[in-house]
C-alpha cells in the first residue's frame, strides 16, 4: 500500500509541475525534458505524462 501511495504522490507532483510550467508558457518539449530529468522517466513515460496532464 505504501508504494501505491508513493506513486500517487509522485503523479500529483508531476501533474502540478506540468500544469505550472504550462501556465508559465513553457514549451512541451522543454517540460518533457525536465520531467525526464527530475522524475527519472524515459522518453515514452514523459510523453505519456505530458499527454495526460497538458490541458
Amino acid at each position: 500500500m505504501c508504494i501505491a501511495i508513493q506513486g500517487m504522490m509522485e503523479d500529483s507532483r508531476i501533474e502540478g509541475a506540468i500544469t505550472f510550467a504550462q501556465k508559465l508558457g513553457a514549451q512541451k518539449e522543454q517540460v518533457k525534458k525536465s520531467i525526464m530529468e527530475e522524475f527519472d522517466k524515459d522518453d515514452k513515460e514523459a510523453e505519456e505524462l505530458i499527454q495526460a496532464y497538458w490541458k
Side-chain angles (χ1 to χ4, degrees):
M1 179 110 162
C2 189
I3 293 172
I5 292 171
Q6 287 174 333
M8 291 180 350
M9 289 174 58
E10 182 177 83
D11 284 352
S12 179
R13 287 194 307 269
I14 292 170
E15 180 180 8
I18 291 170
T19 301
F20 185 67
Q22 184 180 11
K23 287 182 180 181
L24 291 177
Q27 298 295 313
K28 282 185 180 182
E29 194 61 35
Q30 182 182 12
V31 175
K32 182 176 155 182
K33 285 176 66 177
S34 294
I35 295 299
M36 290 170 64
E37 292 172 7
E38 293 298 320
F39 296 98
D40 195 32
K41 302 294 183 187
D42 65 26
D43 188 71
K44 183 180 177 185
E45 290 173 314
E47 183 65 35
E48 289 172 354
L49 290 163
I50 294 289
Q51 292 299 321
Y53 298 124
W54 195 275
K55 298 186 172 58

